[in-house]
Amino acid sequence: MHHFKYRNNELYCEDVPVQRIAENVGTPFYLYSHATLKRHFLIFNQAFQGLNRLVCYSAKANTNLAVLKLFANLGSGLDIVSGGELYRGLKAGFSADKIVYSGVGKRIDEIDYALDKGILMFNIESLEELELIDKRAGMLKKKAPIAIRVNPDVDPKTHPYISTGLKKNKFGIDIESSIQGYKIASKLKNIQVIGIDCHIGSQITESKPFEDALESIKKLITDIINLGIKIKYIDMGGGLGITYDAESPLHPSEYARAIVKSLEGMPIELILEPGRVLVGNAGILVTKVLYRKASREKQFIIVDAGMNDLLRPSIYKAFHAIEPVLKSEEKTIVADVVGPICESGDFLALDRKISNAKADDLLAVMSAGAYGFTMSSNYCSRLKVPEVMVKDDRFEVIKARQTYEDLIAGECIPAFV
Ligand SMILES: *Cc1c(COP(=O)(O)O)cnc(C)c1O
């Protein structure tokens, strides 16, 4: 459930008409609902009530400082994948001991930064990374708390680009080799083994893949404990899906039930890294129709948001519902909704049944709160769009639209040119 609803055929975000914001900030822009973000976090967190757990919001889904701060205020931890996300997380007020650090390609400077700040744990994705972290921790006279990210080889039945827990994926250490990893880790002087981690993919809509992953991991934990190694945390990663179109993903409470049942009797703390499920349906991208045209085969609605603003349709063929900000009596048509970029892959929707929008009409690209702004780029020297947050009847720009000066910031022309 979210707070983007029609009143008298006009789209509102909470108590603010979307059109009013468009008049104020121009288009395109991302728009987030405070109430939805808060609600999603509370529902997710409360689903695990009674269990020792830390929900670590996965920053990469939406890293705006205001969004991060909102979750920090609610007691969330943070799952990061870069030094930049650590910087943002600390700026937003997360305490370092609630931050877990995942990712296959952690650099030395990023490792040092995280060690210096004293994060909760590193999720290790290779033996070479383990050795490097041990070495850096030694140099900085720290002990590095780690979990090994295990790849349980389960099929999350999602888009191949967002499945991460198959043997052929680059993530984690395969489950057979991971016991060796734990043996090695337990002997390293500057490493403290505290957990086990897995993240099998994204936009997962059924419970089976999660249950399968947990089953494999539980077996592994028994083996690890038998080696005399203590495991305090199981990090189950993220991956719970949302409704973009007609999907019916399991509810956080069903997800929690499946996990809690599998964990019964295990004296262990749970870490969860939800991203999309918290922010996806809490945001929309508002865009304006620039032109209409028809070829012999197709109708096109050309809008002012492109693949540089919202990449998901182009790279995942992802579906985003597109709704008119002002509903009219017009009949629906079938059209491609395309952006201004010089690529055939630049579309928001293909062959979509959509209201017959004309130039200057506003459209809302729904479910754009996750992997929307964070995946945007300056391709074609297009300015990054602003982000706006609504709370009740107020709205505020939480990231300003870029300017042409921003676009060339840091560039210089050498004298030898
Ligand atoms: C991206 C990511 C997440 C969040 O995934 P969602 O599908 O958005 O919930 C969690 N953990 C790790 C390690 C990730 O890379």
Side-chain angles (χ1 to χ4, degrees), residues 134-147:
D134 175 60
K135 197 168 109 201
R136 299 311 298 180
M139 290 175 81
L140 296 171
K141 306 209 163 27
K142 307 257 181 195
K143 200 123 177 145
I146 66 113

Side-chain angles (χ1 to χ4, degrees), residues 74-86:
L74 295 171
S76 180
L78 197 65
D79 166 47
I80 59 164
V81 292
S82 71
E85 287 185 355
L86 178 54

Side-chain angles (χ1 to χ4, degrees), residues 34 37 57 62-76 78 88-95 389:
H34 184 283
L37 292 165
Y57 165 61
N62 187 323
T63 40
N64 186 285
L65 283 181
V67 173
L68 295 181
K69 178 71 181 164
L70 190 160
F71 289 138
N73 286 347
L74 295 171
S76 180
L78 197 65
R88 281 180 175 279
L90 295 171
K91 278 271 179 226
F94 285 93
S95 69
M389 187 182 279

Side-chain angles (χ1 to χ4, degrees), residues 58 60 79 102 149 199 201-203 238-240 273-276 371:
S58 184
K60 73 180 189 293
D79 166 47
S102 313
R149 177 167 176 181
H199 169 71
S202 202
Q203 185 53 17
L240 188 54
E273 302 171 348
R276 186 188 313 271
Y371 308 103

